[in-house]
Amino acid sequence: MRIGMLTGGGDCPGLNAVIRAVVRKGEGVYGHNLIGFRHGWRGVVECQTVDLTVGTTRGILHRGGTILGTSRTNPYKTDDGVRRVLDTLKRERVDALVAIGGEDTLGVASQLTDDGVRIVGVPKTIDNDLSATDFTFGFDTAVQIATDAIDRLHTTAESHDRVMVVEVMGRHAGWIATEAGIAGGAAEILIPEEDFDIERVCDDLKKRHAKGRFASIVVVAEGAEPKEGTMATQSGEVDQFGHVRLGGISNLVAEEIEKRTGFETRVTILGHVQRGGTPTAFDRILATRFGIAAIDAAHDGAFGQMVALQGGEIVRCPIADAVGELKTVDRGLFHGVAEVFFR
Ligand code: F6P
């Protein structure tokens, strides 16, 4: 078989580990021929290819980012995009595609499956918001980076008796905020799943101070929103998938905290640091398991399927199952565990 591979959406630690595993088993065990498409779906639309062999994918296991490059191109929102995708696949004699991505990239994969393209999906995103899989690779690394940052911010919070507001990524899911908040000992965690009441947050912080705890970490997910009419909100640009560019809500939260409590407050927006650098061992192993399972699925002709982690096992499920609905934060984890440490 001749198998094409692409990485789409935000770069994410572990992408190279998937590429390496697909190639190692695809070429080494099955004798398939592999090619990469540059910059996600854009490379398929524009027919930008690169040879993928065991030789060209050596030494990339621990490297962050993606050797294939990535983009947020949506062929369904590009002039003649789908026809050009089909032309490229025909011209390059591609029998099957391995698409590695999150909600957007796999959403396109699901639509192309309906349009007759033979695709296997691999779930990636630091946001951990894909349904049908317990975890996506990249998430563990992002949580570790955010936790390390919170550990460091405790130092300043304690030395200066300050409130430190830390903004983490995650788009419309609060997974990174919840897990890094639990691991980092946050006094408050604001997630997109539940509009926050700034007055309640400030009351909690005042109660902490009254008990003699003058240093507080407030973790804010970039997609967190205040209850309507309680404080200012933000707006931003929209991409080809209709997603608004998030970031900056923590500045508004910090302003309100300082104004309403009088406590000195500072902001740290972690941003793309959370996606950068080497993947954790957990993410390297998960990505490697996904890569092996993806090439097995392509070899078996299990198209329209995505590999997923369910209860510790790698399974196959329809790509459509992963993209239908966002996987939001487990409320048991948030209310039953994280919230116990608020105040
Ligand atoms: O989906 C991953 C993610 O890092 C989100 O957490 C974040 O909102 C978004 O991508 C940022 O995208 P970009 O790199 O295009 O700014």
Side-chain angles (χ1 to χ4, degrees):
M1 286 172 88
R2 188 162 156 82
I3 297 171
M5 185 156 40
L6 65 94
T7 54
D11 67 293
C12 173
L15 284 166
N16 289 324
V18 179
I19 295 169
R20 168 180 172 268
V22 168
V23 174
R24 189 66 65 92
K25 187 157 188 191
E27 181 190 303
V29 176
Y30 293 130
H32 294 320
N33 184 236
L34 287 124
I35 62 163
F37 288 100
R38 302 273 298 142
H39 304 298
W41 291 115
R42 191 168 88 213
V44 193
V45 171
E46 297 176 358
C47 195
Q48 293 180 36
T49 64
V50 35
D51 281 342
L52 289 177
T53 64
V54 171
T56 61
T57 54
R58 253 189 239 293
I60 62 170
L61 170 63
H62 63 286
R63 274 171 56 190
T66 161
I67 59 162
L68 290 175
T70 186
S71 74
R72 295 195 186 279
T73 298
N74 181 350
Y76 287 90
K77 291 282 163 61
T78 307
D79 277 348
D80 235 1
V82 177
R83 187 192 54 77
R84 290 166 74 189
V85 164
L86 299 177
D87 284 354
T88 296
L89 297 179
K90 197 167 167 197
R91 187 175 332 137
E92 291 296 325
R93 293 170 286 102
V94 171
D95 300 304
L97 264 181
V98 173
I100 312 166
E103 189 205 356
D104 299 335
T105 305
L106 295 178
V108 170
S110 178
Q111 282 175 280
L112 285 170
T113 298
D114 295 341
D115 285 331
V117 181
R118 298 169 11 141
I119 306 182
V120 171
V122 179
K124 80 82 232 202
T125 168
I126 64 163
D127 304 337
N128 199 37
D129 59 357
L130 274 177
S131 296
T133 186
D134 295 345
F135 289 104
T136 50
F137 65 87
F139 171 64
D140 185 67
T141 305
V143 170
Q144 190 58 57
I145 293 170
T147 303
D148 290 345
I150 294 169
D151 284 351
R152 288 173 190 275
L153 291 169
H154 271 292
T155 312
T156 299
E158 281 156 20
S159 304
H160 290 260
D161 287 348
R162 279 181 185 161
V163 177
M164 303 298 281
V165 177
V166 191
E167 181 174 313
V168 298
M169 283 185 163
R171 207 171 252 172
H172 303 295
W175 286 104
I176 299 176
T178 302
E179 296 217 352
I182 292 172
E188 295 286 336
I189 304 172
L190 311 184
I191 57 172
E193 287 84 348
E194 297 183 9
D195 290 354
F196 63 87
D197 178 352
I198 191 69
E199 199 50 44
R200 200 266 310 146
V201 171
C202 292
D203 281 351
D204 284 355
L205 292 172
K206 284 187 207 157
K207 281 182 198 143
R208 271 176 73 81
H209 271 234
K211 284 189 244 165
R213 299 215 293 276
F214 304 119
S216 303
I217 302 285
V218 177
V219 177
V220 182
E222 62 178 359
E225 287 189 29
K227 282 192 193 302
E228 216 183 319
T230 55
M231 57 176 267
T233 50
Q234 44 170 10
S235 59
E237 280 171 47
V238 172
D239 68 15
Q240 276 200 334
F241 289 92
H243 295 298
V244 71
R245 188 180 298 166
L246 296 167
I249 180 70
S250 54
N251 287 313
L252 302 174
V253 169
E255 249 175 56
E256 290 292 329
I257 290 175
E258 208 163 55
K259 198 167 73 193
R260 292 173 192 235
T261 64
F263 304 149
E264 201 181 2
T265 306
R266 292 288 189 275
V267 178
T268 303
I269 300 179
L270 294 181
H272 293 83
V273 166
Q274 292 158 97
R275 294 208 318 236
T278 61
T280 57
F282 179 89
D283 278 337
R284 294 181 204 192
I285 295 165
L286 182 59
T288 299
R289 292 174 78 193
F290 278 164
I292 298 289
I295 191 67
D296 287 345
H299 182 78
D300 294 348
F303 302 122
Q305 299 284 300
M306 182 187 87
V307 297
L309 183 73
Q310 292 180 3
E313 299 296 321
I314 304 289
V315 300
R316 294 173 188 169
C317 66
I319 298 175
D321 286 1
V323 295
E325 201 182 323
L326 271 199
K327 185 183 72 184
T328 54
V329 161
D330 177 347
R331 299 306 201 280
L333 183 67
F334 189 78
H335 294 294
V337 180
E339 211 174 56
V340 172
F341 299 91
F342 295 0
R343 268 156 243 129

